[in-house]
Amino acid sequence: MAHRRHHHHLSEDSAIFSPSVARIAASTARDWSYIDSWLSTKFHPRSVPPFERNPDTLKALLALAALNEAADEERHLLAKSESAALQEISLEPVQSLPANTHSHNPGTRRPLRQGLLDAVQHNLLSEGHTALDAMANTALQLGVAFPEPESLGRRMVSLQASIQETEQMRARVNILHCYIEEETSRINNLRRQFQGDDYKPPPHLAKQNLELQRKVKAMSAKLPDLQDRVAALASSTESSHPTTTDIARDEQEYLDILARKRDLDLQMATFHGLPSNPDMARSELEALRGQLRNITSQRDQVFEGLVERESPAKRRR
């Protein structure tokens, strides 16, 4: 089969008249025959996937076959050594066992593994037996193939945390269940009350319903206007997120307005007590001015009288 595959690579004339080409063709045919036999061991003869046969493919397949055979040989040697070691352990007699173990037949040959296990078991204290049984039961319940105290401890802590979370979830579910039962009982009582023959709706219910309907209609009529106002406010607002600069500017404007208000308050204080009507305020202001002039003239007269009374004395001196 291999010769049939490779006749199309080299012509018969070149194989006859060139010994080197003939040797290369024979070597290539042997390599392809080896690859075909190796593939037939890995696949069913009729299920070998098709591939292109060229020198690069042959080189890659030869390297792959060599690596595969080396790995197979290594695994075979490892399995053979493990089997020999297991057989040696199984057939080795027990050399050191406790004096109270099998003392009735000291020449009995038992597997070394069983002897070691018996020795450990017979030398354990009661606490050790309890701990070993607990570890074995725990490993069996948790499905741990090779139990160790550290791994079992981690699994126990994780299991305890899961139990605690489950208990909390169960408590929450119980509370929710009680609440649902209370609500269900209340709703059932209300339903029975509504379905009873002696049930009558409150007398103010119809009036309240009419008022609610009127309020709904009134608010529905105002709704377009409110929507337009909201849209106008939204469009007129420059920014919905003021900055510190805006706040500082508003604060300064507020302080200026306060100062202006104090000035106006001082000016308005002079007009305190005057009526709000301008004509009446003007007439009252004129009357006050007349009183001021009278008082001023009286003051001048008193001052002149004092001057005349004091003047002769000064001249006598």
Side-chain angles (χ1 to χ4, degrees):
M1 179 177 64
H3 290 288
R4 186 171 62 253
R5 291 193 186 100
H6 295 285
H7 277 319
H8 67 278
H9 292 288
L10 300 173
S11 63
E12 293 181 357
D13 296 336
S14 62
I16 294 173
F17 295 104
S18 178
S20 60
V21 173
R23 285 194 299 272
I24 294 173
S27 176
T28 304
R30 286 194 300 271
D31 291 339
W32 278 114
S33 177
Y34 166 70
I35 292 299
D36 291 334
S37 62
W38 177 70
L39 289 176
S40 63
T41 59
K42 301 300 179 184
F43 298 93
H44 193 273
R46 295 184 179 180
S47 62
V48 177
F51 58 91
E52 183 180 355
R53 294 177 177 271
N54 52 42
D56 294 334
T57 306
L58 179 61
K59 183 178 179 181
L61 289 175
L62 287 174
L64 181 61
L67 291 174
N68 186 263
E69 288 185 354
D72 290 342
E73 184 178 359
E74 183 178 356
R75 285 193 297 269
H76 178 69
L77 291 176
L78 182 60
K80 186 176 180 181
S81 62
E82 289 179 352
S83 177
L86 181 61
Q87 184 177 5
E88 182 179 356
I89 290 175
S90 300
L91 296 178
E92 186 175 352
V94 178
Q95 299 295 334
S96 59
L97 287 178
N100 58 352
T101 304
H102 305 293
S103 57
H104 61 281
N105 192 5
T108 304
R109 296 173 60 88
R110 305 184 63 204
L112 177 61
R113 180 177 61 184
Q114 187 65 35
L116 291 175
L117 292 177
D118 291 340
V120 171
Q121 184 176 4
H122 284 85
N123 284 277
L124 283 176
L125 299 176
S126 59
E127 293 83 359
H129 280 286
T130 304
L132 186 60
D133 291 339
M135 286 184 61
N137 292 329
T138 304
L140 182 62
Q141 293 293 331
L142 297 177
V144 180
F146 301 99
E148 294 182 0
E150 184 178 357
S151 62
L152 290 178
R154 287 196 299 267
R155 295 292 294 272
M156 289 295 293
V157 171
S158 177
L159 184 60
Q160 188 67 28
S162 301
I163 292 173
Q164 184 67 23
E165 292 178 358
T166 306
E167 290 293 333
Q168 293 181 359
M169 291 177 64
R170 186 176 65 85
R172 297 191 190 101
V173 170
N174 289 333
I175 294 173
L176 183 60
H177 181 68
C178 294
Y179 176 74
I180 291 174
E181 286 185 347
E182 292 178 358
E183 289 296 322
T184 303
S185 177
R186 187 179 64 82
I187 292 172
N188 289 331
N189 294 332
L190 187 61
R191 180 179 58 83
R192 286 191 295 268
Q193 181 181 355
F194 287 162
Q195 291 178 353
D197 297 334
D198 55 347
Y199 173 74
K200 293 181 180 180
H204 66 280
L205 190 60
K207 184 178 178 180
Q208 185 178 1
N209 190 13
L210 291 176
E211 291 179 357
L212 290 176
Q213 288 180 1
R214 282 196 297 267
K215 289 181 180 179
V216 168
K217 289 181 180 179
M219 294 303 296
S220 299
K222 293 180 180 179
L223 186 60
D225 185 22
L226 294 175
Q227 289 178 349
D228 295 338
R229 291 175 61 184
V230 169
L233 289 175
S235 61
S236 63
T237 303
E238 295 180 355
S239 175
S240 60
H241 301 285
T243 61
T244 54
T245 305
D246 298 335
I247 295 174
R249 184 178 63 251
D250 294 341
E251 182 181 6
Q252 186 61 40
E253 292 178 357
Y254 174 70
L255 294 176
D256 295 341
I257 292 172
L258 285 180
R260 178 62 176 167
K261 179 181 178 297
R262 285 192 295 268
D263 296 337
L264 293 175
D265 289 339
L266 291 176
Q267 294 179 12
M268 291 295 294
T270 58
F271 300 100
H272 180 69
L274 294 176
S276 59
N277 191 350
D279 296 334
M280 296 177 63
R282 191 178 294 108
S283 61
E284 187 174 352
L285 181 61
E286 291 297 333
L288 291 174
R289 285 177 180 175
Q291 293 178 6
L292 179 62
R293 284 193 296 267
N294 294 331
I295 294 172
T296 303
S297 62
Q298 292 178 5
R299 183 197 63 183
D300 294 341
Q301 291 177 2
V302 172
F303 180 74
E304 289 176 357
L306 290 174
V307 171
E308 291 178 354
R309 189 176 58 189
E310 295 294 330
S311 294
K314 290 181 180 180
R315 285 195 298 266
R316 285 195 297 268
R317 290 176 189 173

